[in-house]
Amino acid sequence: QVQLVESGGGLVQAGGSLRLSCVVSGNIFRINAMAWYRQAPGKQRELVASVTSGGRTNYADSVKGRFTISRDNAKNTVFLQMNSLKLEDTAVYYCAADLFAGSLRSDYWGQGTQVTVSS
C-alpha cells in the first residue's frame, strides 16, 4: 500500500512564503517523476511543478521564478518552496508521484493541503 502525505499548507499574506512537503511511503520499488498540482474553487486541477528522478524540473508559467520544486530521493520526499505568494495561488495543493509499487507502475496522489493567500 502506498501513501502520499502532504504538509505545510496554511494561511499566509500576499508576498509571503510557504514550504510544502510530501512524503511517499509504502511498498515502493522506485519513484519516477514527482509533481505538485493545485485546484482552486471552480477551476480544473492544474500542474504547478514537476521533477524527474534525475532532477529535471518543469514549472507552470504562472509560478516560474517564484516557486521551486525539489526532492530528497533518500527520504522519498518532494518539496515545493513558494515565495512571493499571490492571491491567485490560493488552492488545494496535491502531491503526485509516478512510481513502481512492487512491479506495478501507477500514479498516486496525496489528499491535498490547503494554501490560502490573503491580502
Side-chain angles (χ1 to χ4, degrees), residues 38-97:
R38 67 185 180 187
Q39 188 167 19
K43 295 188 177 181
Q44 288 188 328
R45 190 173 296 189
E46 63 174 355
L47 175 67
V48 176
S50 64
V51 57
T52 67
S53 57
R56 188 170 71 248
T57 58
N58 180 57
Y59 295 93
D61 288 342
S62 58
V63 306
K64 282 181 181 176
R66 301 188 298 121
F67 290 10
T68 302
I69 189 171
S70 60
R71 61 191 284 174
D72 183 334
N73 291 329
K75 296 182 178 179
N76 292 339
T77 302
V78 63
F79 305 96
L80 185 68
Q81 178 65 44
M82 305 185 294
N83 299 328
S84 302
L85 282 160
K86 302 177 180 180
L87 297 179
E88 53 263 41
D89 294 319
T90 295
V92 178
Y93 284 71
Y94 298 90
C95 170

Side-chain angles (χ1 to χ4, degrees), residues 3-10 20-23 35-39 45 91-96 108-115:
Q3 281 191 311
L4 280 67
V5 179
E6 300 107 333
S7 61
L20 306 183
S21 301
C22 172
V23 180
W36 289 95
Y37 288 76
R38 67 185 180 187
Q39 188 167 19
R45 190 173 296 189
V92 178
Y93 284 71
Y94 298 90
C95 170
Y108 291 84
W109 293 82
Q111 81 287 352
T113 185
Q114 177 71 46
V115 171

